[in-house]
Amino acid sequence: TNCLTKAWRLFKNLSEEQQRYEKQLIFEHPAFAKLCQQLLRDSRRMTRGDLVFSLHATVNLGVPQNTLLVQTLLRVCQEKLNQLDNRCVSVLVTTLAGMDKDKNVSALQAGLQLLVEQRISSIRDIFILQNLMKCMGKDVPVFLKKKFEMAVLKEIDHLTFPNALRVVFALVAMNYCSYPILNVCSKKIQENVHDAPLRQLILILEACHTLQYRNMKLFSALADYVSSTACLWDKRQIVLFLSACETLGFQPSELMEIFAEKVTEDSEFLNWKNLLIVLRAYSRLNYVPRVQKHLFFETLHSCLNKCLPQISDTELLKAVYSLCILGYLPHQALDELLQKDSRNELILSDDLYKEQKEMMLRCVKTCMELDSPSFTKPAFVLTESLSSLVSLNLRKAQEALVELLGDENMFLQNVQLPYKYHIDFEIRMDSDRKKVLPITATDDHPDSSAQRLALLFVPLSAFCMGTMHPQGKLAMKKRHLNKLGYHVILIQSKKFQEMTKEHAVEFLKEKIYSEDAFSFSEVTM
């Protein structure tokens, strides 16, 4: 056992290429065959620790699973299962997690699950608990996941930073979101964030996304630490960190400002893959640098132009779409994109992502028109009220508007605009913004001085996490509605639904009649 275990410890630290070479030497060595024969003969007389560690080393050294040796060790482990201590159980679970399913592996895994169920309340070692969670994985029954949760919470006061990380990753492996455990781990991570390499911070963000765990304090602490130490990290690592933030919908504004400066100073590191990640992150999170905004966009545009000969049509569409969402028109890339579209090369009839690509291309063409410097606000906008019926989630808003304005003729609902834009409610006011005008009056006698107000009820997911800062597509829609002459009020649907009827009426009254409703800055709850 010592011989095999030592060989495995030396072997696992080698590179993949070295491992292939050493494995061949080990298997061809005459002493190795004798060692395996001896292990086969003595397997039933071995101590429980020697038995489990021998199986672990043998499997990891690459001895084929269908050999007599490995199958015999599996059967002996089944026979001695009840004699194994918690450490041996943990090692055995780890070994089986890396093996293919067969009759003996499945039988042993079933026996181990029953054994763990019986013992779990008595296991006091966090390291063993997280290892069992990680290796037993997402197929564990829910009741056993809850037992693991209770066992970890019993020992949570003794949690170290390394074990906090291990527990988080074990929850991911089990596909189980335990808020009590994650909240404690989150605090431990925040206290020790300076001890973690950037790669580990990225894995933490990815784990939170997988578990759908939202913790603004944690994300802000990680982002603040990376921002304050940005000069220490490779820019390509920061790109990956930003990508993880984008996936969460979390905007690390300070870091994005610092990174934008780094890009303008030196963009050589931006290969095509990194460029696409940066474009996606800045466009989805709707971040426009406060300083050197134009230079930042010009730098990204220049990098995109260099990549044009080597990128696919789909990648070109994604890149142009991202820049257009930010309000920047990359002319050279746009020309190439439109040429491909005119030749019907961009979207094929059997394309799996046909609808998504058509939506992106439609947005690009809309941006080309509305974001062009030559575009002027139209005197009148042709609108169409699709239906007097509104969806259930807008029924409360409709009733509040009737209560506030006195009549359904004082507003339009479910309005379709040019460029396939849709607004939930439209209200028209006089030029002094003192009173609401009846819709029929303004339709019969159009007045260019009348103010148009668009109320958009949007889900929380349309904003960056923890804020009312609209994400890219919503920000683009708001910008374009402004260009069409609308003053836009964004209202978070869920919060509005939670209001009492009286509060909802007062809230809408404040938004409609306030001076802020007619500024082009963010108007939000």
Side-chain angles (χ1 to χ4, degrees):
T1 299
N2 290 341
C3 180
L4 286 166
T5 303
K6 184 65 176 176
W8 159 237
R9 284 177 181 160
L10 292 169
F11 183 77
K12 71 177 180 179
N13 293 323
L14 301 174
S15 68
E16 198 173 325
E17 190 176 336
Q18 286 175 310
Q19 282 186 354
R20 281 196 296 269
Y21 176 69
E22 289 294 336
K23 182 178 173 181
Q24 186 178 351
L25 291 181
I26 291 170
F27 281 25
E28 290 174 354
H29 199 289
F32 184 71
K34 291 179 181 178
L35 188 67
C36 291
Q37 288 166 4
Q38 188 178 344
L39 180 59
L40 186 61
R41 284 197 307 271
D42 296 345
S43 57
R44 282 184 166 77
R45 296 200 298 272
M46 298 175 82
T47 64
R48 60 193 181 188
D50 286 347
L51 175 65
V52 168
F53 278 96
S54 293
L55 175 63
H56 181 262
T58 303
V59 169
N60 285 290
L61 281 171
V63 175
Q65 185 174 324
N66 60 357
T67 55
L68 179 61
L69 173 62
V70 173
Q71 292 299 317
T72 300
L73 291 174
L74 288 169
R75 283 195 294 272
V76 176
C77 284
Q78 288 179 55
E79 294 166 10
K80 297 191 173 186
L81 194 56
N82 289 324
Q83 300 171 29
L84 303 183
D85 60 17
N86 292 338
R87 183 165 176 251
C88 290
V89 168
S90 179
V91 173
L92 185 54
V93 167
T94 306
T95 307
L96 295 179
M99 298 179 73
D100 296 329
K101 294 276 186 187
D102 67 20
K103 186 179 176 181
N104 284 321
V105 168
S106 297
L108 196 46
Q109 284 176 328
L112 276 168
Q113 184 170 308
L114 292 172
L115 187 64
V116 170
E117 284 175 33
Q118 294 166 7
R119 291 191 188 177
I120 195 166
S121 58
S122 64
I123 300 175
R124 295 282 179 263
D125 190 322
I126 283 271
F127 184 85
I128 289 177
L129 280 170
Q130 64 81 26
N131 191 58
L132 289 171
M133 291 162 67
K134 182 179 73 176
C135 295
M136 294 184 79
K138 60 184 178 182
D139 295 331
V140 170
V142 174
F143 78 88
L144 187 51
K145 291 179 181 180
K146 290 185 181 295
K147 283 191 173 184
F148 272 121
E149 180 181 28
M150 296 307 297
V152 171
L153 288 171
K154 280 182 186 175
E155 306 303 316
I156 207 79
D157 292 338
H158 310 299
L159 194 67
T160 62
F161 174 57
N163 275 343
L165 293 176
R166 292 188 185 105
V167 168
V168 170
F169 300 141
L171 288 170
V172 172
M174 248 188 358
N175 194 25
Y176 184 69
C177 183
S178 165
Y179 286 100
I181 292 176
L182 287 169
N183 288 338
V184 175
C185 290
S186 169
K187 288 178 184 175
K188 188 63 69 174
I189 291 167
Q190 290 173 61
E191 291 166 6
N192 297 273
V193 65
H194 51 274
D195 292 333
L198 189 54
R199 177 62 191 148
Q200 218 156 35
L201 302 185
I202 293 167
L203 291 173
I204 291 167
L205 293 178
E206 290 173 350
C208 291
H209 172 66
T210 302
L211 296 171
Q212 297 185 346
Y213 176 68
R214 305 289 181 261
N215 187 322
M216 278 296 292
K217 284 186 178 179
L218 172 63
F219 302 154
S220 298
L222 300 189
D224 290 346
Y225 171 66
V226 176
S227 300
S228 63
T229 56
C231 58
L232 303 177
W233 307 112
D234 186 300
K235 289 191 278 284
R236 285 163 293 198
Q237 289 181 298
I238 299 178
V239 168
L240 296 176
F241 185 86
L242 289 175
S243 178
C245 290
E246 178 263 322
T247 306
L248 284 165
F250 168 70
Q251 187 201 73
S253 52
E254 187 182 345
L255 178 61
M256 295 182 87
E257 186 70 29
I258 292 169
F259 184 75
E261 289 177 26
K262 286 181 175 292
V263 169
T264 55
E265 288 166 6
D266 175 24
S267 60
E268 287 300 314
F269 73 96
L270 277 180
N271 59 20
W272 169 240
K273 183 181 176 184
N274 288 336
L275 176 63
L276 203 58
I277 292 172
V278 171
L279 288 171
R280 190 174 66 238
Y282 277 78
S283 63
R284 186 192 169 194
L285 299 175
N286 183 28
Y287 189 82
V288 177
R290 298 185 297 272
V291 182
Q292 296 184 318
K293 159 189 163 182
H294 189 70
L295 180 58
F296 177 65
F297 286 145
E298 286 294 325
T299 305
L300 294 180
H301 186 191
S302 174
C303 292
L304 175 57
N305 289 342
K306 289 177 187 173
C307 296
L308 287 178
Q310 67 193 61
I311 63 178
S312 69
D313 296 347
T314 302
E315 290 169 334
L316 174 62
L317 177 59
K318 286 179 180 177
V320 172
Y321 172 72
S322 294
L323 282 168
C324 286
I325 278 184
L326 289 165
Y328 180 83
L329 301 176
H331 295 293
Q332 186 177 333
L334 267 171
D335 290 343
E336 185 156 334
L337 184 73
L338 294 176
Q339 285 174 24
K340 290 178 182 293
D341 182 42
S342 66
R343 297 194 297 264
N344 296 319
E345 296 173 1
L346 201 58
I347 304 172
L348 304 176
S349 57
D350 59 346
D351 196 323
L352 287 173
Y353 303 100
K354 183 181 177 183
E355 286 185 17
Q356 185 184 1
K357 287 181 178 180
E358 286 174 342
M359 179 276 296
M360 292 166 74
L361 188 59
R362 186 174 65 249
C363 284
V364 168
K365 290 179 178 179
T366 301
C367 289
M368 285 176 66
E369 189 169 340
L370 296 181
D371 292 327
S372 169
S374 61
F375 180 80
T376 54
K377 186 177 89 170
F380 302 100
V381 178
L382 186 65
T383 64
E384 180 186 355
S385 187
L386 296 178
S387 168
S388 59
L389 297 174
V390 293
S391 58
L392 282 174
N393 62 325
L394 291 175
R395 192 73 54 79
K396 185 174 188 174
Q398 182 190 40
E399 292 169 357
L401 284 170
V402 170
E403 178 84 14
L404 176 62
L405 304 177
D407 191 342
E408 281 195 16
N409 292 323
M410 303 301 285
F411 60 90
L412 282 174
Q413 52 203 18
N414 200 12
V415 181
Q416 188 67 46
L417 301 178
Y419 307 101
K420 294 206 172 183
Y421 279 128
H422 171 270
I423 56 179
D424 299 314
F425 298 98
E426 178 182 330
I427 296 171
R428 296 174 191 170
M429 303 186 78
D430 67 339
S431 57
D432 295 329
R433 306 194 295 270
K434 298 297 184 186
K435 66 175 185 177
V436 175
L437 304 174
I439 296 297
T440 51
T442 51
D443 281 345
D444 294 340
H445 305 285
D447 181 0
S448 60
S449 65
Q451 305 282 347
R452 289 175 179 248
L453 191 64
L455 271 63
L456 302 182
F457 289 78
V458 290
L460 189 60
S461 58
F463 300 95
C464 291
M465 186 189 297
T467 71
M468 290 298 289
H469 181 75
Q471 290 189 12
K473 286 179 72 175
L474 179 58
M476 177 182 68
K477 180 177 180 178
K478 181 178 183 297
R479 183 176 74 241
H480 288 167
L481 290 179
N482 288 161
K483 293 280 183 80
L484 292 171
Y486 283 89
H487 304 281
V488 181
I489 294 179
L490 303 177
I491 300 172
Q492 206 272 306
S493 299
K494 188 171 182 292
K495 289 286 184 186
F496 187 82
Q497 292 299 326
E498 291 168 355
M499 295 179 187
T500 62
K501 185 177 180 181
E502 293 75 17
H503 186 193
V505 172
E506 281 301 313
F507 172 78
L508 290 177
K509 180 180 179 181
E510 180 186 337
K511 293 301 175 188
I512 291 168
Y513 291 102
S514 75
E515 291 288 327
D516 290 342
F518 295 89
S519 71
F520 282 86
S521 59
E522 294 304 326
V523 180
T524 53
M525 288 177 59

